[in-house]
Amino acid sequence: MFVIGIAGGTGSGKTTFTDTIVEKFSEYVTVIHHDNYYKVQDHLTYEERCKTNYDHPDSFDTALMIEHIKALKNGESVEEPVYDYTVHNRDKSKTITLEPTEILIIDGILVLENKELCDLMDMKIFVDTDADVRLGRRILRDMTERGRSLESVLTQYQTTVKPMHEKFVEPSKKNADIVILEGGKNKAAIELFCGY
């Protein structure tokens, strides 16, 4: 199994880049999403969950993700959790069955921040996109897909997303083997990577 880590800031184009790889090599690719491994927060009220810093490494159950990646590399299927952004908690009624394939993509803003995760990767990619572009994409996504208000998106961006990007995400770029500008919008990089 060839393991590729794809990281970068919120709205950088990681998912578009990942989707392009999946489209090209679909039967050979499994994608595991760090976003689905946010910790269970049953012990908190909804109001308390809204105040959680979801951009800090401690908000993820990365140990479980690592366990699942090792199982996939060992030829075993796993049940990836499903995270529900509307309630800021895991949806315990659902999981996603992931099967081992020839290529495993690990996708998430902080996947290059964690050394143990990096050690499981054969190739590490950082998608680098201008902050203003990323913010615009984040606003559109959170308002249309997650039912958030503009005010809540901007408040979260200023209080946790931007500071955590500067503290954890941006420094993790040094762990990348390849830096791709503009993610899924970079046609030349996609063609080179996918061998079109």
Side-chain angles (χ1 to χ4, degrees):
M1 179 180 280
F2 190 78
V3 182
I4 304 170
I6 301 179
T10 183
S12 61
K14 295 181 307 299
T15 302
T16 305
F17 188 77
T18 298
D19 288 349
T20 303
I21 297 169
V22 171
E23 188 179 308
K24 174 75 173 173
F25 305 107
S26 58
E27 61 189 282
Y28 307 105
V29 180
T30 298
V31 181
I32 190 165
H33 298 279
H34 205 197
D35 281 0
N36 277 334
Y37 288 83
Y38 280 116
K39 290 179 179 174
V40 175
Q41 300 198 100
D42 294 340
H43 60 292
L44 300 177
T45 66
Y46 174 77
E47 289 73 22
E48 289 170 326
R49 294 196 302 266
C50 288
K51 295 175 184 173
T52 298
N53 181 352
Y54 294 99
D55 296 280
H56 192 284
D58 291 346
S59 65
F60 293 92
D61 188 352
T62 302
L64 177 62
M65 186 185 203
I66 288 168
E67 183 183 310
H68 284 179
I69 292 166
K70 288 179 177 177
L72 287 165
K73 289 183 77 165
N74 200 36
E76 304 164 22
S77 63
V78 299
E79 295 299 320
E80 180 182 50
V82 173
Y83 191 77
D84 184 344
Y85 291 93
T86 62
V87 296
H88 303 294
N89 207 356
R90 279 199 202 157
D91 183 339
K92 288 173 285 306
S93 68
K94 297 179 191 171
T95 59
I96 301 167
T97 302
L98 300 180
E99 300 289 347
T101 52
E102 293 179 38
I103 301 168
L104 175 65
I105 295 176
I106 306 170
D107 171 73
I109 62 171
L110 290 165
V111 300
L112 296 186
E113 184 273 337
N114 183 286
K115 184 182 185 310
E116 194 173 354
L117 268 181
C118 284
D119 289 345
L120 294 170
M121 300 171 192
D122 299 296
M123 179 183 290
K124 298 176 284 296
I125 297 171
F126 189 92
V127 177
D128 202 8
T129 302
D130 182 78
D132 290 342
V133 173
R134 290 188 296 101
L135 175 58
R137 290 175 181 169
R138 171 88 180 218
I139 290 168
L140 287 173
R141 182 197 68 195
D142 283 8
M143 290 181 70
T144 57
E145 296 176 20
R146 299 178 182 172
R148 307 262 314 273
S149 68
L150 176 60
E151 182 182 3
S152 73
V153 176
L154 291 175
T155 298
Q156 183 184 27
Y157 186 82
Q158 289 297 327
T159 56
T160 62
V161 177
K162 186 174 185 289
M164 295 301 100
H165 178 87
E166 292 168 354
K167 185 172 183 179
F168 296 108
V169 181
E170 188 66 27
S172 77
K173 182 165 52 175
K174 72 181 183 305
N175 298 323
D177 301 309
I178 301 168
V179 175
I180 295 176
L181 302 178
E182 302 298 324
K185 303 292 184 188
N186 188 331
K187 301 301 182 195
I190 288 169
E191 288 174 11
L192 183 65
F193 190 83
C194 294
Y196 284 103

